[in-house]
Amino acid sequence: MCFLSLHSFSVSSVRIGLVMLLLLGWGGHHPFFQVSAHQVSSVSLISSFDTKEGTYELDAAMEVIPSEDDALNDEISPEDAAREFATEYLTILFDDEEDEPEMKIRRETTSDEATPAELQREQVIVTLTGTIPEGRENFLLYLDPSCPMAVVMVVVKDDRPARRMQVVLAGEYSRPVNILPLVEGDPFSLSEAKPSDPAAANKGKSTEKEGGASDDADSKSHPFLLGMRGFFHSSLLPVFFVVSLFLLTPRRTPVFLSIAGFLVGLCLAIALRGWALLPLVSWAPFFSGLLLAILGLEALVHGAFRWWRVALFAVAGFGSGLIIATTKPFRQVFAEASDAESFVGVIAFIFGAELAAVAVGIIAGLLLRLLFRFDWYQKSVVQPIAVLLTAYGVYQLISGLS
């Protein structure tokens, strides 16, 4: 009996020890266990573009506050905190391509000599410089969803500052900044002209007609067409989801219910993102890839209809909508739209995306329906396509997790 008690006590002790070791080993990397040292408390950013030289410079002024632990402050300097903030949270995009700038960091004291030492504040200036990629038209700043604060940005193009600041929230893109060289009547300066100045407005319109309207200006008046483009823009996942509908079963009622669930999910995701009721998420592509892999594997195993497949396709539609909401056509519609324009734009964009999905469904359904009559349909058509969809889903899953 005593032996059993000692044995159970030793086993419990070992278990507790292992749990403590795991927590200690994991805690050094998990944010919950991190003790703060120097931290960035606010960020203001000036984005300067020289369109003649084809260069850009972003000056981010960061207020850095120390912690009460001097040992931690020695381990993580203000420069380290500013560097980590710029690396982890700020993403520079030209059109849809991410750019990697060079980084320089310097420290400045914002308090005067009369300020007591305990109240001294330091400001770290992070300068990001680089070359504007050839052929790009728009600059965007993306702020990671985990960023603890908003970033205030002022744009200066060819020494001409914009009249309005931009406030970029966590998980959001800035408004697109046109980086094409300035010409007389350039929209960069004229868009800030007062509405009561009709001469400036007419001058901008005439110049736009002569030099050619920009893609963004024209595209904003056609959100329906942009919705169709957004469905095919950056990923094949939405297209493959629609194709997988017909692999599981060719019968009309199951296909109709499944595609209805897909369209409802697609509509809901785009509406929530268009009205800014849902933050931008980074896990949508690999989550959708996992779901596509599951649907592809199921098509290989059996084709009998089950009611929960409708729910699966509704989730697939929601994931597809989140993916579409990250595309350039989506940003072109909603970057600077007012509330009224946003409402109309959301509805038109949704109709465009759903029409694209229905068009893919009609084409895939007719083609597969014609092949369904042959005996080799399951082995020579369904199985190879299912393997392809599964492989693509796994690829998207691994790409998102890596």
Side-chain angles (χ1 to χ4, degrees):
M1 189 72 176
C2 179
F3 173 77
L4 290 177
S5 300
L6 289 174
H7 176 70
S8 60
F9 174 78
S10 62
V11 171
S12 301
S13 301
V14 170
R15 288 178 177 173
I16 293 173
L18 288 175
V19 171
M20 292 300 296
L21 286 174
L22 287 173
L23 289 176
L24 289 173
W26 174 66
H29 302 283
H30 197 275
F32 181 77
F33 289 91
Q34 290 178 354
V35 182
S36 60
H38 282 102
Q39 287 187 336
V40 177
S41 61
S42 64
V43 180
S44 58
L45 191 148
I46 300 177
S47 301
S48 303
F49 302 93
D50 189 335
T51 60
K52 295 180 181 179
E53 298 294 332
T55 59
Y56 69 89
E57 179 177 300
L58 275 65
D59 290 312
M62 303 184 185
E63 295 287 343
V64 180
I65 56 176
S67 71
E68 297 179 356
D69 191 330
D70 294 334
L72 283 175
N73 292 333
D74 293 337
E75 291 180 8
I76 302 178
S77 66
E79 290 87 345
D80 293 334
R83 181 182 294 106
E84 182 179 359
F85 185 94
T87 303
E88 295 294 328
Y89 299 135
L90 303 180
T91 301
I92 295 173
L93 299 168
F94 289 95
D95 291 343
D96 288 331
E97 299 294 330
E98 183 176 342
D99 194 65
E100 296 291 339
E102 297 182 1
M103 184 184 300
K104 295 181 180 179
I105 299 177
R106 69 181 189 274
R107 193 193 303 189
E108 294 182 354
T109 301
T110 57
S111 305
D112 56 28
E113 298 178 354
T115 304
E118 62 273 11
L119 298 179
Q120 290 279 341
R121 285 296 185 94
E122 290 185 324
Q123 189 177 69
V124 180
I125 309 297
V126 178
T127 302
L128 306 173
T129 58
T131 303
I132 299 174
E134 187 176 355
R136 300 292 187 266
E137 297 183 3
N138 294 293
F139 160 83
L140 298 103
L141 179 71
Y142 174 67
L143 197 58
D144 190 84
S146 61
C147 184
M149 69 196 70
V151 171
V152 179
M153 182 175 69
V154 175
V155 177
V156 179
K157 178 178 174 182
D158 291 342
D159 296 327
R160 300 184 185 182
R163 298 193 180 186
R164 290 186 299 172
M165 295 187 303
Q166 296 193 35
V167 179
V168 186
L169 303 177
E172 298 289 343
Y173 292 88
S174 67
R175 295 192 299 269
V177 177
N178 186 282
I179 53 174
L180 295 177
L182 285 173
V183 294
E184 185 180 358
D186 191 281
F188 181 79
S189 57
L190 290 174
S191 61
E192 305 295 341
K194 296 180 179 180
S196 59
D197 189 0
N202 293 332
K203 182 179 180 181
K205 293 179 180 179
S206 61
T207 306
E208 202 172 70
K209 291 180 180 179
E210 293 174 3
S214 65
D215 293 338
D216 290 341
D218 286 344
S219 61
K220 285 181 181 179
S221 61
H222 302 89
F224 178 81
L225 297 178
L226 285 175
M228 298 184 67
R229 285 177 51 194
F231 186 83
F232 302 101
H233 192 269
S234 62
S235 175
L236 292 175
L237 283 169
V239 176
F240 283 169
F241 275 129
V242 176
V243 173
S244 67
L245 285 166
F246 301 92
L247 298 182
L248 298 175
T249 176
R251 292 184 298 164
R252 294 179 180 177
T253 300
V255 167
F256 175 79
L257 293 176
S258 299
I259 199 169
F262 180 85
L263 294 179
V264 169
L266 183 76
C267 170
L268 181 62
I270 294 177
L272 291 177
R273 282 293 302 129
W275 290 322
L277 298 176
L278 184 72
L280 190 67
V281 295
S282 58
W283 45 261
F286 61 85
F287 173 77
S288 299
L290 174 63
L291 191 58
L292 180 64
I294 293 173
L295 293 173
L297 289 174
E298 189 180 11
L300 289 172
V301 177
H302 50 72
F305 177 74
R306 291 171 174 79
W307 65 267
W308 44 263
R309 284 181 176 172
V310 177
L312 276 182
F313 279 108
V315 176
F318 192 85
S320 299
L322 294 179
I323 294 173
I324 293 171
T326 64
T327 63
K328 180 181 177 181
F330 184 89
R331 295 196 299 269
Q332 288 174 338
V333 174
F334 304 111
E336 296 181 340
S338 65
D339 292 340
E341 292 170 341
S342 176
F343 178 81
V344 176
V346 166
I347 301 303
F349 191 93
I350 288 174
F351 281 149
E354 290 189 339
L355 180 61
V358 171
V360 171
I362 291 175
I363 295 173
L366 289 176
L367 181 61
L368 295 177
R369 188 71 180 178
L370 290 175
L371 299 175
F372 178 71
R373 66 184 70 179
F374 298 102
D375 297 334
W376 42 263
Y377 171 76
Q378 185 69 27
K379 183 177 181 180
S380 301
V381 178
V382 172
Q383 292 183 3
I385 296 179
V387 170
L388 174 64
L389 299 185
T390 303
Y392 186 77
V394 172
Y395 168 75
Q396 290 292 329
L397 176 63
I398 296 175
S399 299
L401 295 175
S402 61

